Amino acid sequence: AQSVAQPEDQVNVAEGNPLTVKCTYSVSGNPYLFWYVQYPNRGLQFLLKYITGDNLVKGSYGFEAEFNKSQTSFHLKKPSALVSDSALYFCAVYAGNNRKLIWGLGTSLAVNP
Amino acid sequence: DAGVIQSPRHEVTEMGQEVTLRCKPISGHNSLFWYRQTMMRGLELLIYFNNNVPIDDSGMPEDRFSAKMPNASFSTLKIQPSEPRDSAVYFCASSWDRSPMNTEAFFGQGTRLTVV
């Protein structure tokens, strides 16, 4: 079955430290991978995507993600966290000819001042 | 563009009542998605329209739920009759779907539905 896993419900990091939010996937065919962020009482906002090409993808607000085919992972990273990065982060994947995005359950990121 | 616009932002209704959620997608987008978000099940795709035509409604929970897209600028999600377990945040999203796997979606701010 095709799936996306975000193994951590919550990630805590101090402001200024690097952050990583993990995502692994299981799909048939080539994956198309996305990260979205949700701030409180708001809809989801697109951060970045991997379709093809360079495995390191840069996105909005200084975030980046690395596609690792052998580990079937697409972890979200940022070199220096801000308190304003505190939000809910979702990983999602399209697989094969399925036009339906498969979503992870989300990871709550808390950046402490 | 004002983005995806959903109304109402909050809805409280009694069990058994009909509820209609509304969505105006971004002008020029040709795909529209209705999602439901709950703590228990996370984000679930309910239905997906392309060029106003429902493409995949396999996520619609049951016959009490129905969705329409009469034109490119408007969609509704209706629940009749509503039940307490329908309480959730409902999101509408749209995208320019030339190649759906390649295109990110833009989300509205959601409608928080509470059925008492």
Side-chain angles (χ1 to χ4, degrees):
Chain A
Q2 303 186 111
S3 63
V4 172
Q6 294 182 241
E8 301 156 317
D9 290 337
Q10 179 144 353
V11 170
N12 294 292
V13 64
E15 187 175 29
N17 283 1
L19 69 87
T20 298
V21 182
K22 296 180 181 177
C23 172
T24 59
Y25 63 90
S26 174
V27 301
S28 56
N30 293 322
Y32 299 81
L33 295 150
F34 297 76
W35 275 103
Y36 285 79
V37 60
Q38 185 180 25
Y39 297 102
N41 299 313
R42 301 295 297 273
L44 281 71
Q45 296 178 33
F46 169 76
L47 273 180
L48 51 78
K49 64 185 176 185
Y50 171 82
I51 304 300
T52 187
D54 194 346
N55 289 343
L56 184 64
V57 179
K58 293 187 183 296
S60 307
Y61 312 122
F63 284 92
E64 58 188 30
E66 185 166 12
F67 171 61
N68 187 318
K69 189 173 183 177
S70 63
Q71 297 187 3
T72 62
S73 68
F74 189 56
H75 300 332
L76 182 70
K77 299 181 179 184
K78 187 172 182 180
S80 178
L82 300 173
V83 173
S84 57
D85 293 329
S86 299
L88 192 57
Y89 290 81
F90 290 92
C91 181
V93 62
Y94 278 116
N97 292 322
N98 189 339
R99 300 170 78 98
K100 188 182 300 187
L101 259 182
I102 302 167
W103 293 85
L105 291 179
T107 297
S108 179
L109 172 67
V111 180
N112 307 306
Chain B
D1 199 311
V4 176
I5 299 173
Q6 291 185 247
S7 64
R9 289 294 310 278
H10 302 274
E11 177 79 34
V12 180
T13 191
E14 291 185 348
M15 182 174 62
Q17 296 298 306
E18 177 179 296
V19 175
T20 299
L21 311 182
R22 297 173 175 79
C23 175
K24 176 178 167 51
I26 291 174
S27 177
H29 282 186
N30 63 350
S31 286
L32 184 139
F33 310 82
W34 281 101
Y35 285 92
R36 177 172 67 178
Q37 186 179 35
T38 61
M39 290 292 292
M40 293 296 295
R41 292 190 298 272
L43 200 62
E44 303 172 277
L45 177 65
L46 301 178
I47 188 169
Y48 154 54
F49 291 88
N50 184 251
N51 293 324
N52 312 337
V53 176
I55 302 299
D56 184 347
D57 65 355
S58 60
M60 295 287 263
E62 47 197 275
D63 292 345
R64 297 185 297 108
F65 285 69
S66 62
K68 294 182 179 179
M69 193 165 185
N71 57 62
S73 59
F74 184 64
S75 177
T76 60
L77 177 68
K78 185 176 294 186
I79 308 172
Q80 167 62 21
S82 58
E83 296 182 3
R85 60 194 170 113
D86 301 331
S87 298
V89 181
Y90 290 81
F91 288 104
C92 176
S94 70
S95 68
W96 169 238
D97 195 20
R98 180 175 294 279
S99 172
M101 288 78 80
N102 199 1
T103 305
E104 59 271 25
F106 293 79
F107 283 73
Q109 291 191 300
T111 295
R112 182 175 295 276
L113 174 65
T114 303
V115 183
V116 299

